[in-house]
Amino acid sequence: MKVKTSGVMQMTLAMVISGTVGWPVVMLGQPATTVVFWRCAFGALAMLVVCALLGLLKKGLLTRRLAAIAVLGGIALVLNWTLLFAAYSYASIAVATVTYHVQPFMLVGLGVLFFGEKLTATKLGWLLLAFVGMLLIITGKQNAGDASSHYFTGVLLALGAAFMYAVAAAIVKQLKAVPPHLIVLIQLSVGALLLAPFADLGSLPSTANVWLLLATLGLVHTGLMSSLLYSAIQKIPTSLVGALSFIYPLVAIIVDWRVFGHRLSLLQLLGAAAILLAAAGMNFGWRLMRAKKTPHPADGI
């Protein structure tokens, strides 16, 4: 019981941290590539320490094939973060985060296309509900002063981020034999190397506040959050992991409202509710219709 309780607390804290990631990103006001580079750099240092403490830096834990797959996953993850962070400045943290949560449906699509998984009527129903939610999000921009083209760009960037997350998740499925902390270390190292040429390292941050925000992104929102998440996953059922994961978008909506004054319109709230309900239905395997009862030969006698 104590193990499960600690797992719930760790998962809850991990999701609260995830929900606040947009706060330092927006406060920094820097290009997404620069922010993601520093997130990867600080995060990689944190995960290097974690992996060393867990004894995961020994030879023989990775084959060349698995290392190559992990690198591909790292590229997808970096693109995911870059697109999501860029979306914040166009469509707000709340809208970008909720839109980003269509990722389960993209993962289903990849499963159908590449892994021979079946698209059931129930999954299709949840997909249609999420699509309706997307339409409401797109048409329900927050106020008349918003530039429609910029807002739509933000939604598209968030959708692109969701797709890259789905690709990263599909790739990670091939790495079941690799410790998750080691996977994250590889992915963050790949991200730092990949984005270094685009991070404007010639003009480093000049204030302690900027360094603090960047370090927070890497150490807290990446290193600490990942460690809490993986520890929680080992202690609590998958269904509970799925349930607690919805803390993330709810915290993001609250942060966007309280810190940046972005209130969702009625259409956006309806769209967000539709997307999150559909995502919950997919995660928990809820059926939209009850299966028909097969008549028993004795019935009607």
Side-chain angles (χ1 to χ4, degrees):
M1 188 66 180
K2 289 183 178 179
V3 172
K4 184 176 180 180
T5 301
S6 67
V8 169
M9 293 178 64
Q10 289 172 333
M11 183 69 189
T12 300
L13 183 55
M15 291 301 97
V16 170
I17 292 172
S18 296
T20 63
V21 69
W23 190 349
V25 171
V26 172
M27 292 295 291
L28 282 164
Q30 297 188 11
T33 50
T34 300
V35 175
V36 177
F37 165 77
W38 287 110
R39 180 182 190 180
C40 289
F42 280 111
L45 288 174
M47 295 311 296
L48 181 63
V49 173
V50 172
C51 287
L53 292 174
L54 294 176
L56 299 178
L57 300 180
K58 298 178 293 186
K59 290 184 178 179
L61 287 177
L62 273 179
T63 64
R64 288 186 180 181
R65 176 179 173 277
L66 292 177
I69 293 174
V71 168
L72 287 176
I75 294 172
L77 187 66
V78 168
L79 289 173
N80 152 53
W81 284 342
T82 303
L83 291 171
L84 181 61
F85 289 178
Y88 291 157
S89 60
Y90 289 97
S92 84
I93 295 171
V95 170
T97 303
V98 172
T99 303
Y100 179 68
H101 276 74
V102 301
Q103 54 192 247
F105 304 98
M106 294 185 174
L107 193 54
V108 166
L110 292 176
V112 171
L113 290 174
F114 299 107
F115 302 111
E117 298 176 3
K118 293 182 179 180
L119 181 61
T120 64
T122 295
K123 288 181 179 179
L124 183 59
W126 291 126
L127 178 60
L128 290 175
L129 179 60
F131 181 71
V132 170
M134 276 302 311
L135 292 179
L136 292 173
I137 286 284
I138 291 171
T139 57
K141 59 181 182 294
Q142 287 153 315
N143 57 63
D146 285 338
S148 296
S149 60
H150 286 180
Y151 180 84
F152 188 61
T153 297
V155 173
L156 288 179
L157 286 169
L159 286 173
F163 177 74
M164 295 314 304
Y165 178 88
V167 170
I171 290 173
V172 168
K173 281 188 174 184
Q174 314 304 311
L175 298 172
K176 293 180 180 179
V178 182
H181 293 88
L182 186 58
I183 295 174
V184 176
L185 173 60
I186 294 170
Q187 291 177 334
L188 293 177
S189 300
V190 168
L193 291 173
L194 190 66
L195 292 178
F198 309 100
D200 193 21
L201 297 179
S203 54
L204 295 175
S206 56
T207 66
N209 185 54
V210 173
W211 280 115
L212 179 61
L213 289 173
L214 290 171
T216 299
L217 273 175
L219 300 177
V220 178
H221 290 93
T222 307
L224 177 59
M225 189 278 294
S226 297
S227 298
L228 288 169
L229 178 62
Y230 290 139
S231 180
I233 288 173
Q234 292 173 346
K235 297 174 182 176
I236 60 179
T238 303
S239 59
L240 195 50
V241 171
L244 293 173
S245 68
F246 286 94
I247 294 173
Y248 171 16
L250 294 177
V251 170
I253 290 171
I254 293 170
V255 167
D256 204 22
W257 166 48
R258 296 295 297 173
V259 179
F260 300 104
H262 294 154
R263 294 175 180 269
L264 293 179
S265 68
L266 178 59
L267 283 180
Q268 287 175 319
L269 284 171
L270 291 173
I275 289 173
L276 295 179
L277 175 60
M282 282 287 295
N283 279 338
F284 303 134
W286 294 340
R287 298 180 66 87
L288 290 171
M289 295 180 293
R290 290 184 179 180
K292 291 183 178 180
K293 184 180 178 181
T294 304
H296 191 277
D299 291 346
I301 296 178

